[in-house]
Amino acid sequence: MHLTFLGAAGMVTGSSYLLEIGQKKFLIDCGLFQGSKAIMALNRRDFLYNPAEIDAVFLTHAHIDHSGLLPKLCNSGFKGPIYATKATAELCSIMLPDSAHIQEFDAEIANRKGQRAGRKPVEPLYTVADAYACLNQFSPAAYDTKLTLSEEVTIQFRDAGHILGSSMIEVWGTENGQTAKILFSGDMGQPDQPIIKDPAIIESADYIVLESTYGGRQHEPGDPIELLAKYVNDTAAKGGNLVIPSFAVGRTQTLLYHLYKLFKAGSIPEIPIFVDSPLAIAATNVFLKNSQEYDKEAYDLMYGDQEQPLRLPQLVYTKTAEESKAINSLDKPAIIISASGMADAGRILHHLKHNLWRPESTILFVGYQSQGSLGRRILDGARKVKIMGEEISVRAEIHNMEGFSAHADQSQLTSWLKNFTTKPANIFIVHGEEDRSEPFGKMINEEFGIATYIPKYGDAAQIDGRTWNIEPSAITTVEPAVQQLRDQLEEMEKEYADFRRRLEDLVAANSANLQAVLKRVEKIRTFVKKTLSDLWS
């Protein structure tokens, strides 16, 4: 078997793996690259294989960083089935057309600017028509039921406990008389999430392709529901808005569930709650139609007690642009839940524009913020950010609640690995940035005695039974000029801690140095901002 890592390698986006077994070729996920411009440029590259030669796609779940390039794949010649759970197929039926709308809109905006600058027209990555055509190739698969695709290949979907319909995928491949089992974790969920069942227990695999979004750290201690109540109450008391950038699928429904229980217990005031995302509204309807996916608590609440936690009395779903704009004209506190979760696009930008500068408002992040995203810049302490061409001061309170993440953290992933009765020959650690994946791999090796490997984009593993070796990639993930700049900036980052310490020592030794130091630091800041302003197009 030959396994090539074509996404989510050294990053948390663009999940995709090419698995070759004999003469058969399969893709596990085909996700959109999200984040910085350099990373998103990967979406424009030709596939590193002939899409027409792919026999089937196995899709772990509907999130766009796992499914978002499927319309491009199908439009490029892939004609085979896309195996996914029923709920994943239904979520993709709303998410992929929504993604296509964004592609068309972005291309339209780029062409307006490009026409004035004399640049060539830009085609959308794919169209709405491409997305709908792609949906015809979905083939629903049940959990815990083996599908034999050929004499050499069998697969099985197992519940990953991440979002509705999310899966781990077991693949048994036979070559040269030897059978090896590879387990693709997809995105692993936290146990005890509301609505969603816990990740399935799996006891054996020869290889695991394991996500590490939070592999190198623990979620913050404490009860996230109590913290949510605190942020609601504190913000309402100040007369501001609680703005929550949230992924439309999974995170939004989890938040509504918790807000319902807090409201029912009298722990928060009855202030308006707006879900301002057409995609989140459609996704909530999919959640309501798939009760077979609920855990016992949610099922008993909704069908035993006949309660509707996703339809609170003060909850308003805003569908139109006019309804969305009206939210920012309110003169009383509100909770605003809007997409996207990394604050890079969508209606959330308007709400950030109207609330970031208000000291009485709170911006609450409830999910992972990837490098290069607006959400990450705000969390990292940016004093000003540019939103839709306007520079906005950051004066609102900024909070981050990783406890609401749909991803398992290090201890939860470790507990799940303890269920294996036979050690895998290797664990390939993916879907994580370097500072998460490396300590996670080291911990696995030390605690379990299992070999680990962190693949780079384009690396390939040649697998023969329980023997494997790596064919290193010669592919660059970014343009050479960008890589050169990145290398230089990384060197500067390494020096920053020393610069900071020495400057602090200088001021501590003589406070009269403060104004001179601040003046020079401000010159550096001004120079960088002017460079961006002068060269940005």
Side-chain angles (χ1 to χ4, degrees):
M1 292 191 287
H2 200 256
L3 175 63
T4 308
F5 301 89
L6 298 175
M11 61 185 80
V12 294
T13 186
S15 178
S16 191
Y17 315 105
L18 174 64
L19 179 62
E20 300 172 75
I21 304 174
Q23 301 302 309
K24 300 287 186 181
K25 295 182 180 180
F26 306 98
L27 276 186
I28 295 84
D29 288 346
C30 189
L32 195 74
F33 290 91
Q34 300 169 306
S36 68
K37 284 191 174 184
I39 291 175
M40 289 192 294
L42 295 172
N43 294 316
R44 292 281 174 183
R45 287 188 173 184
D46 291 336
F47 291 112
L48 299 179
Y49 47 82
N50 182 353
E53 294 178 356
I54 301 298
D55 292 281
V57 174
F58 311 145
L59 182 60
T60 61
H61 65 288
H63 275 156
I64 289 298
D65 62 325
H66 291 256
S67 69
L69 282 183
L70 285 172
K72 179 184 175 183
L73 182 77
C74 295
N75 190 44
S76 301
F78 170 65
K79 302 300 181 186
I82 301 168
Y83 292 104
T85 63
K86 172 179 175 290
T88 293
E90 290 183 15
L91 287 171
C92 282
S93 73
I94 60 174
M95 295 183 72
L96 294 179
D98 179 80
S99 176
H101 277 295
I102 294 172
Q103 303 303 325
E104 292 183 346
F105 178 77
D106 287 350
E108 181 183 348
I109 296 299
N111 286 333
R112 286 181 194 169
K113 295 180 179 178
Q115 188 176 21
R116 293 192 292 269
R119 291 193 290 264
K120 291 181 179 179
V122 174
E123 293 294 326
L125 195 59
Y126 50 83
T127 66
V128 173
D130 294 333
Y132 279 114
C134 166
L135 295 174
N136 294 323
Q137 294 175 233
F138 273 73
S139 180
Y143 283 127
D144 306 322
T145 302
K146 288 185 177 180
L147 294 175
T148 300
L149 305 184
S150 69
E151 290 184 359
E152 298 82 16
V153 182
T154 298
I155 67 171
Q156 183 169 228
F157 286 74
R158 307 294 299 275
D159 200 326
H162 176 60
I163 64 167
L164 197 76
S166 61
S167 304
M168 298 176 274
I169 301 176
E170 298 171 302
V171 181
W172 289 265
T174 302
E175 276 187 343
N176 305 320
Q178 292 194 87
T179 298
K181 174 184 171 183
I182 305 178
L183 172 64
F184 295 87
S185 75
D187 284 354
M188 293 274 292
Q190 292 198 66
D192 301 321
Q193 284 193 84
I195 306 176
I196 305 299
K197 295 174 183 175
D198 289 352
I201 292 174
I202 297 177
E203 297 181 343
S204 66
D206 295 300
Y207 301 90
I208 305 175
V209 179
L210 182 61
E211 73 120 319
S212 59
T213 308
Y214 284 95
R217 62 186 298 177
Q218 311 293 339
H219 291 315
E220 59 190 4
D223 186 348
I225 304 176
E226 289 183 6
L227 272 176
L228 178 61
K230 171 179 166 49
Y231 296 141
V232 172
N233 290 320
D234 289 352
T235 307
K238 292 188 298 182
N241 294 320
L242 177 63
V243 180
I244 309 178
S246 178
F247 297 105
V249 178
R251 204 67 43 83
T252 293
Q253 293 73 32
T254 296
L255 283 167
L256 292 178
Y257 189 93
H258 288 313
L259 288 169
Y260 171 83
K261 297 190 80 172
L262 288 171
F263 168 68
K264 185 181 176 184
S267 301
I268 59 174
E270 189 175 346
I271 60 176
I273 301 171
F274 294 94
V275 173
D276 188 30
S277 163
L279 181 59
I281 297 168
T284 300
N285 289 330
V286 174
F287 269 69
L288 291 170
K289 291 192 302 181
N290 281 274
S291 59
Q292 76 280 358
E293 304 284 349
Y294 298 172
D295 63 10
K296 186 177 186 305
E297 178 186 346
Y299 190 91
D300 289 347
L301 179 67
M302 297 177 75
Y303 292 93
D305 300 336
Q306 295 295 304
E307 298 185 30
Q308 291 295 329
L310 302 184
R311 298 197 184 281
L312 292 81
Q314 71 271 39
L315 175 61
V316 180
Y317 288 100
T318 54
K319 294 183 179 180
T320 68
E322 290 72 22
E323 291 172 329
S324 175
K325 292 175 183 177
I327 296 172
N328 290 310
S329 300
L330 293 176
D331 58 359
K332 58 182 179 180
I335 299 169
I336 305 168
I337 303 171
S338 187
S340 71
M342 293 187 193
D344 265 348
R347 294 182 178 182
I348 188 61
L349 293 176
H350 295 275
H351 301 303
L352 291 174
K353 182 178 177 180
H354 284 85
N355 286 277
L356 268 174
W357 56 271
R358 300 178 61 196
E360 66 271 25
S361 288
T362 300
I363 314 300
L364 176 60
F365 292 96
V366 292
Y368 190 78
Q369 306 299 308
S370 70
Q371 288 183 358
S373 66
L374 175 60
R376 173 68 75 89
R377 295 200 298 276
I378 294 171
L379 274 181
D380 284 347
R383 295 180 183 178
K384 293 184 178 180
V385 293
K386 187 167 283 189
I387 299 177
M388 296 181 291
E390 184 176 345
E391 195 170 74
I392 307 295
S393 295
V394 179
R395 297 195 185 102
E397 284 196 35
I398 309 298
H399 294 287
N400 186 29
M401 289 182 59
E402 294 178 355
F404 276 132
S405 173
H407 288 269
D409 66 12
Q410 178 176 300
S411 63
Q412 292 161 342
L413 290 168
T414 302
S415 295
W416 179 79
L417 284 171
K418 288 178 180 177
N419 293 302
F420 281 79
T421 55
T422 303
K423 290 181 181 180
N426 185 68
I427 296 178
F428 299 102
I429 299 177
V430 297
H431 207 283
E433 291 169 358
E434 188 175 338
D435 62 343
R436 307 291 172 91
S437 299
E438 286 191 354
F440 185 44
K442 183 178 180 182
M443 184 276 299
I444 289 175
N445 186 259
E446 291 175 350
E447 182 165 341
F448 296 95
I450 300 173
T452 62
Y453 182 78
I454 303 171
K456 291 180 170 55
Y457 178 77
D459 279 357
Q462 181 64 43
I463 294 171
D464 185 12
R466 288 179 62 87
T467 302
W468 61 282
N469 64 278
I470 291 293
E471 299 170 1
S473 171
I475 303 166
T476 57
T477 57
V478 295
E479 295 302 319
V482 174
Q483 187 61 54
Q484 184 178 348
L485 174 62
R486 181 176 292 176
D487 291 343
Q488 184 68 32
L489 292 174
E490 286 177 354
E491 285 300 314
M492 290 175 62
E493 286 174 359
K494 293 175 183 177
E495 296 172 342
Y496 169 75
D498 181 57
F499 289 158
R500 176 173 176 170
R501 179 185 58 76
R502 292 168 64 185
L503 287 170
E504 289 175 350
D505 288 347
L506 185 65
V507 173
N510 185 354
S511 60
N513 291 325
L514 175 61
Q515 293 307 315
V517 169
L518 290 177
K519 185 176 180 180
R520 285 166 172 76
V521 169
E522 188 57 37
K523 282 185 177 180
I524 295 171
R525 186 201 305 274
T526 301
F527 174 77
V528 173
K529 289 171 66 175
K530 189 174 187 304
T531 300
L532 289 171
S533 176
D534 290 346
L535 300 180
W536 191 266
S537 60

